[in-house]
Amino acid sequence: MRGLLTAIAIAAAVLLGYALSCAVRPYRDCWLCNGKGHHRSKGNRKLSRPCRWCRASGKRLRFGRRAWNRARRVHRAAG
Ligand SMILES: [Zn+2]
């Protein structure tokens, strides 16, 4: 049982740290354009296109923050 408790404590600590990091920095650089908001097309290297993945903002809302926003919306709708 001691090992299980330790595993739960570690998982809780990791989750808490992740939640905190999502609260402090909800956005991260887009993986497709590296935060630039646009990227070179593969066919024509001179052509720079706005990034569709981040809608040319260069930032992506992190998964944890998206889940948090959704949870809050559901909570507000219920109460
Ligand atoms: Zn992007």
Side-chain angles (χ1 to χ4, degrees):
M1 279 309 273
R2 201 183 171 84
L4 185 69
L5 279 176
T6 307
I8 289 171
I10 289 170
V14 168
L15 269 174
L16 194 69
Y18 181 68
L20 272 175
S21 80
C22 282
V24 173
R25 293 187 60 187
Y27 292 94
R28 68 173 184 185
D29 285 354
C30 173
W31 57 269
L32 194 64
C33 60
N34 292 320
K36 293 187 193 77
H38 51 85
H39 58 90
R40 301 269 159 87
S41 74
K42 276 175 187 167
N44 188 348
R45 289 202 143 269
K46 284 180 183 171
L47 210 64
S48 184
R49 295 175 170 279
C51 180
R52 272 190 285 175
W53 187 250
C54 60
R55 295 196 184 116
S57 68
K59 301 287 175 199
R60 290 283 300 167
L61 204 57
R62 296 172 71 182
F63 173 77
R65 188 65 181 208
R66 270 210 309 271
W68 166 252
N69 285 348
R70 189 180 304 158
R72 228 171 32 170
R73 199 157 45 229
V74 168
H75 185 73
R76 205 179 299 153

